[in-house]
Amino acid sequence: MRRSASRPPSTAPASPRRSGVSPGTRDGEFISTPRARLILVAITACAAFLRLYHFGQSPPGLNQDEAVNAWNAWCLLKTGHDMTGASWPVFYSHAIGDNRTTLYSYALLPFQAIGGLGVWTTRLPNAVAGIACVPLLYGVGARLFGRGTGLIAALLLALDPWALFMSRWGIEGGLCPLLALGTLALLLAAGLPFDEIPRAPRVALAALAGLFAGLACYGYWCMRLYVPALLALLALAIGRAGWARLARGRGLAALAAFASGLCVTLGPLAWKHLVDPAIGRRAAMTRLWDPGTPLAEIARRVAGRYFAHFGPDFLFVRGDRYELVSPIGQGEFSWYMLPVMIAGLAFAFARARRSRAARVLLATVIAYPAGDVISRYPSVHAMRSAPGIPALVLLAAFGAAAAGAWLWARRRPIAVAAAIAFGVAIAALDGRFLVRYFGEYNARPEIYHGYHADLIDATRWLGPRLGAYDAVFCTAIGMNEPFAVTLVGLSWDPRRWFAEPRDTRVVGDWDVTLRYGKMRFMHERLWVPDYERLANDGRPERALFIVRPGELGLEKPVHVIRGPDGRDALWLCEESI
């Protein structure tokens, strides 16, 4: 049918305000909202499956820091005091020589109230947080760059080895991706000028964003460096036009609401850092430089540590070099992420002058190492750097979507071939990692013993039989703070912890617990006087020894814990003393 000459077709581009598209910045909008939601549900289900599959394994057992977190929370839940007797601590909680943050302990409370004390409930907060990050990152990516970028980001985060590991154990650092991502998501939801489309600022959400950003600083220590760095960089990213919108009307009200919310939560914590030296004990224990180091040398070390976060050794080759948190056989990301991360940087820099969203993305990437630049460690620290996981994943997703759109506009067959190759690489590399992670990883001696899987198995046997013994002596060979692991494994009653005899001593920088109730721990020879007292008290004592095979010359175990290799890991031996 002939087109009417009186109504010529319009060649003007659609208004960004009306179409929701800012030219050159929002790729993948060809995906309809209903279809995007269906895909997102499938991706989130995949993320949930990976984070809950064989829960309690990968890693097996329980790390001592996980156990301390769980025990602190359990004491709070049952008595209103942490393990040292402090009533509902807010700023920090003394644990095993370090003063650790409290947010994870409080996050554990609802899970323990429902499911009790155990390995599952110790790790569930991070699993839930890891699952929640997937749709949240989709929302941020879609808001900044379009639904295609958001979906790619969600998929990459669901499969990422670094994010997966952080979601499967009970350490404070596992909440960092959610805390970092939640701060940015709330700022966007508040209508603050971080994306391309002018929106009326929402004062209540701006206040909530401020409250959340401050609350995030009560999480793992790195958040107290990361959040201020992120906010400062975002303030630069919004540019003059953005600040002009914030300087009047509802923009000014929203900015004031954000600042007020931030002061309410972050203000008391900042004051505590000024007046209480104990709050910085952990930072002092791990500081990158010694007192008296020249300022130029400090700057050199900090800069070197900062740039190491962008090197291939951590990102793609070996990851964190501490064996208990190192990905099996690779770096924190799979190699297919490298080309799309490079593409993301190239497109972001190319668009930065005219695209506020691109500047925001670059700000989050620049902020990623901020929490890990003042502490010493053999490599980049996977937990202190964890707030940057969503930023790096979003960078890769943006690169994949922008490169795909660029190729599609010029060489569609090449774009299709590139998309297929990218999908095959994801399936092959992540599939290989997942098979190893859920398989041989758990059987590795450094993992099986490092996570006290043998001791957890011993407590399962001991629990229903504990009443039959007058004393239990547990080895400390190849174990770190075994008292905490047994507290969780035995689901100990905090009221007994506070009422029965305890013996905790300071050895070097750390607290060493030699005894609680009838449980004794054989650290070096510190336990010997207590054993001799029992031996000479004039009455027979029925004792159980949890020892390494052949330790103390004991024989004929009543129960044997065998490792994945079939070898004896622990002997449980009865003796009369």
Side-chain angles (χ1 to χ4, degrees):
M1 184 172 66
R2 182 175 297 177
R3 191 185 304 271
S4 171
S6 63
R7 298 184 63 183
S10 174
T11 58
S15 166
R17 180 185 295 271
R18 296 183 61 188
S19 68
V21 179
S22 180
T25 64
R26 297 175 67 81
D27 305 298
E29 290 290 77
F30 58 86
I31 302 174
S32 67
T33 299
R35 181 176 297 178
R37 288 173 180 168
L38 286 175
I39 297 172
L40 180 61
V41 168
I43 293 172
T44 305
C46 174
F49 174 79
L50 292 176
R51 282 148 182 80
L52 298 175
Y53 175 71
H54 279 196
F55 206 54
Q57 297 292 311
S58 303
L62 203 64
N63 175 269
Q64 70 277 356
D65 288 325
E66 293 180 281
V68 169
N69 289 338
W71 180 242
N72 255 332
W74 190 240
C75 289
L76 285 170
L77 182 66
K78 296 298 182 180
T79 70
H81 297 80
D82 70 6
M83 61 183 287
T84 64
S87 177
W88 298 109
V90 173
F91 300 105
Y92 61 87
S93 178
H94 188 78
I96 51 176
D98 57 341
N99 292 332
R100 60 184 57 195
T101 57
T102 60
L103 186 61
Y104 195 76
S105 291
Y106 287 106
L108 280 165
L109 295 183
F111 296 94
Q112 291 184 343
I114 296 170
L117 178 64
V119 175
W120 267 64
T121 54
T122 301
R123 294 174 172 175
L124 269 174
N126 280 344
V128 172
I131 296 167
C133 279
V134 172
L136 193 59
L137 184 60
Y138 163 78
V140 169
R143 190 81 172 249
L144 292 174
F145 302 112
R147 289 186 288 273
T149 299
L151 289 174
I152 296 172
L155 177 63
L156 297 180
L157 186 66
L159 299 175
D160 173 47
W162 189 4
L164 178 62
F165 179 80
M166 287 295 159
S167 301
R168 291 184 64 93
W169 72 329
I171 296 294
E172 303 97 304
L175 291 181
C176 288
L178 179 64
L179 296 174
L181 187 56
T183 298
L184 180 57
L186 283 169
L187 287 168
L188 287 169
L192 298 180
F194 294 114
D195 56 356
E196 309 303 321
I197 305 169
R199 294 181 174 91
R202 304 171 70 177
V203 176
L205 280 177
L208 182 60
L211 290 169
F212 187 89
L215 180 65
C217 295
Y218 289 78
Y220 196 43
W221 295 111
C222 63
M223 299 303 297
R224 300 178 190 186
L225 296 172
Y226 174 82
V227 170
L230 176 67
L231 295 179
L233 288 165
L234 289 176
L236 294 174
I238 64 175
R240 285 185 184 176
W243 279 107
R245 284 170 51 193
L246 287 175
R248 60 182 184 271
R250 290 180 64 85
L252 188 60
L255 183 62
F258 173 79
S260 298
L262 187 65
C263 287
V264 167
T265 47
L266 184 57
L269 181 62
W271 176 253
K272 191 70 172 177
H273 272 276
L274 292 175
V275 301
D276 186 358
I279 197 172
R281 174 172 169 77
R282 183 60 177 163
M285 292 169 68
T286 61
R287 192 169 52 192
L288 187 61
W289 58 89
D290 296 322
T293 301
L295 184 60
E297 176 62 16
I298 293 174
R300 185 190 69 80
R301 294 185 187 183
V302 169
R305 187 147 187 86
Y306 176 88
F307 288 108
H309 289 74
F310 297 96
D313 185 71
F314 174 71
L315 293 178
F316 304 107
V317 180
R318 290 186 291 182
D320 191 314
R321 296 185 196 173
Y322 181 38
E323 58 190 13
L324 294 189
V325 297
S326 179
I328 181 169
Q330 64 169 75
E332 303 295 338
F333 294 108
S334 295
W335 277 104
Y336 65 77
M337 294 283 279
L338 177 59
V340 288
M341 283 182 174
I342 293 173
L345 283 174
F347 280 103
F349 277 116
R351 298 177 181 182
R353 185 174 180 180
R354 57 192 172 90
S355 168
R356 189 179 295 119
R359 295 196 298 272
V360 167
L361 175 61
L362 290 172
T364 64
V365 172
I366 293 169
Y368 132 67
D372 188 33
V373 295
I374 65 169
S375 299
R376 62 179 179 271
Y377 192 70
S379 67
V380 173
H381 196 291
M383 287 183 289
R384 297 187 199 124
S385 305
I389 295 174
L392 294 176
V393 171
L394 184 57
L395 175 69
F398 171 65
W406 187 87
L407 283 173
W408 184 259
R410 290 160 178 80
R411 297 287 189 274
R412 292 191 177 186
I414 296 178
V416 172
I420 293 173
F422 188 55
V424 169
I426 291 174
L429 295 179
D430 284 342
R432 182 186 65 175
F433 170 80
L434 292 172
V435 168
R436 300 185 71 187
Y437 181 58
F438 289 118
E440 66 177 271
Y441 175 83
N442 295 298
R444 290 195 165 197
E446 67 272 18
I447 300 301
Y448 178 80
H449 294 295
Y451 281 93
H452 307 95
D454 45 5
L455 186 54
I456 286 292
D457 286 343
T459 60
R460 292 193 183 107
W461 183 90
L462 174 61
R465 301 170 177 85
L466 183 60
Y469 299 103
D470 299 301
V472 177
F473 290 86
C474 180
T475 186
I477 296 174
M479 296 182 182
N480 195 334
E481 304 288 355
F483 87 97
V485 179
T486 61
L487 285 165
V488 178
L490 295 170
S491 295
W492 202 256
D493 185 346
R495 289 174 285 268
R496 293 183 63 182
W497 168 263
F498 289 116
E500 294 178 335
R502 277 185 290 142
D503 184 1
T504 299
R505 306 179 190 181
V506 178
V507 178
D509 289 330
W510 303 99
D511 294 350
V512 173
T513 294
L514 300 177
R515 178 189 178 187
Y516 67 85
K518 62 177 65 178
M519 300 294 297
R520 274 89 168 169
F521 301 90
M522 298 187 292
H523 292 278
E524 300 177 352
R525 292 189 58 81
L526 297 175
W527 63 280
V528 174
D530 188 41
Y531 173 83
E532 292 176 341
R533 180 185 60 79
L534 288 174
N536 297 320
D537 65 2
R539 63 178 184 271
E541 308 277 358
R542 188 184 183 196
L544 180 75
F545 287 81
I546 304 173
V547 294
R548 297 301 182 190
E551 187 180 358
L552 303 179
L554 294 172
E555 299 177 346
K556 299 180 181 180
V558 296
H559 187 70
V560 175
I561 304 296
R562 291 187 173 86
D565 57 2
R567 298 181 180 181
D568 292 0
L570 287 174
W571 284 359
L572 282 68
C573 303
E574 289 183 355
E575 292 287 322
S576 180
I577 59 175

